[in-house]
């Protein structure tokens, strides 16, 4: 297990639709749970591969294999917001790996 490497706590926020009061819908993010995580920057090769696929892989997040984290979720904590682009597990599920993009507010 990788428990001893997970040195941060992040909040999982999941998109959901809500009525906007005028007959339409808007996407809101709803907090799901807190998860323990390790946040790394991807290797140059991983970044290049993501760019070739049209994605912006800026951070790799490692989580417990039982963490309920999905593509489209946001992981928030430590002043950062990371949007999950994809998740994967190795053939022996020792961890859950989430490829993420750092979302920076305007003017930051």
């Amino acid at each position: 297990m990788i428990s001893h490497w997970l040195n941060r706590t992040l909040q999982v926020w999941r998109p959901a639709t809500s009525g906007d009061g005028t007959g339409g819908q808007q996407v809101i993010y709803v907090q799901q749970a807190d998860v323990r995580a390790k946040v790394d920057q991807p290797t140059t090769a991983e970044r290049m591969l993501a760019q070739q696929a049209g994605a912006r892989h800026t951070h790799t997040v490692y989580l417990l294999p039982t963490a309920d984290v999905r593509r489209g979720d946001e992981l928030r904590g430590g002043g950062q917001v990371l949007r999950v682009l994809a998740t994967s597990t190795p053939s022996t599920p020792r961890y859950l790996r989430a490829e993420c993009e750092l979302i920076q507010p305007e003017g930051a």
Side-chain angles (χ1 to χ4, degrees), residues 78-96:
Q80 293 181 318
V81 177
L82 300 161
R83 180 168 299 128
V84 178
L85 304 172
T87 62
S88 62
T89 55
S91 58
T92 303
R94 295 183 179 143
Y95 58 85
L96 175 67

Side-chain angles (χ1 to χ4, degrees), residues 18-41:
S18 172
D20 65 4
T22 60
Q25 292 185 335
Q26 63 182 359
V27 176
I28 59 169
Y29 282 83
V30 179
Q31 186 176 356
Q32 300 295 307
D34 289 348
V35 293
R36 293 179 49 213
K38 180 178 189 306
V39 179
D40 286 339
Q41 291 186 341

Side-chain angles (χ1 to χ4, degrees), residues 29-94:
Y29 282 83
V30 179
Q31 186 176 356
Q32 300 295 307
D34 289 348
V35 293
R36 293 179 49 213
K38 180 178 189 306
V39 179
D40 286 339
Q41 291 186 341
T43 65
T44 302
E46 289 172 326
R47 280 188 177 192
M48 285 179 48
L49 185 61
Q51 287 176 345
Q52 289 172 350
R56 294 185 184 152
H57 179 193
T58 63
H59 290 74
T60 302
V61 179
Y62 294 92
L63 308 135
L64 290 174
T66 56
D68 183 16
V69 173
R70 306 173 189 172
R71 180 176 180 261
D73 286 352
E74 288 185 354
L75 302 174
R76 301 178 186 179
Q80 293 181 318
V81 177
L82 300 161
R83 180 168 299 128
V84 178
L85 304 172
T87 62
S88 62
T89 55
S91 58
T92 303
R94 295 183 179 143

